[in-house]
Amino acid sequence: MDRLQRKPIIVANWKMHKSIASSIEFVHALAPKITVPSTQVFIAPSFTALHAVAAAAKPYPAITVGAQNMYAAAEGAYTGEVSGIQLVDAGAQFVILGHSERRKLCKETDQFINEKVKIALLSKLIPILCVGESFDERKAGKSEEVVGEQLKKCLNDITSVQGRGTIIAYEPVWAIGTNCAATPPMVQEMHQFCRDWLIRHWGDEAANKVHLIYGGSVKPDNALSLMQQKDVDGLLVGGASLAVESFSEIVNFDLGET
Ligand code: 13P
């Protein structure tokens, strides 16, 4: 399967932004602006808006709604946490896991993220597993080593069949919220590394079906050059996903004949 058969996925990670009303308003304003039929738009609102946003997006097949996190258990005494089953109940179809903000702020480990990926898959949620190196790790030439280790631990004990549908997001920590995106060749190099890692662990066929998406200061002016890379199958957008104008420009990138 080549790049053209992996339909682009553009994800809006709204992080801790937007009210229920403004989230719904966004969906209705965005939908008519999506002009590229092959692109799937994923929106990850706050938990509080998830159910309402999923209902608002129902008439729009191009929009899929999901969550920014979940807990690594099906149910139980976990005050303040949300399970995969509850996310599905609220209308979620995917869940972002292992975001570097959660790794840093909530001290999430690869082992814990691995448990979440497994439960997400059992709950029939598409996991978007985030990996990426810090600035110091890149400077030390350790990007591949770090990302390889994250993939190994976060996908531990998950076969290609069990992991079907999983999306990997390469989000270098130093590029998030800094206005300093990784360059397209840098991103291609890391995505190629992730693809090769997946080929070694899951085999050619399964690995070539995995969407590898990039996140970190994606803006309307760099979306196309990132998407032109052979192993970039989509984008994970933070800040620029908060306004319909900038996000719709990113969603409507045009690969043309390239
Ligand atoms: P920015 O697009 O704001 O850099 O955030 C990226 C991100 O963390 C998406 O998950």
Side-chain angles (χ1 to χ4, degrees), residues 31 34 37-42 56-65 93:
I34 303 174
S38 63
T39 297
Q40 194 62 35
V41 177
F42 280 27
K58 262 219 168 99
Y60 310 121
I63 300 180
T64 300
V65 177
Q93 295 185 54

Side-chain angles (χ1 to χ4, degrees), residues 11-15 96 99-101 128 130 169 171-181 214-219 235-242 250:
V11 187
N13 175 9
W14 285 347
K15 309 190 180 182
I96 299 171
H99 193 284
S100 64
E101 284 152 13
I128 300 183
C130 301
E171 290 209 305
V173 182
W174 50 271
I176 296 176
T178 58
N179 245 333
C180 174
Y214 166 78
S217 297
V218 173
K219 308 285 174 207
L235 302 167
L236 178 48
V237 190
S241 74
L242 293 172
I250 292 171

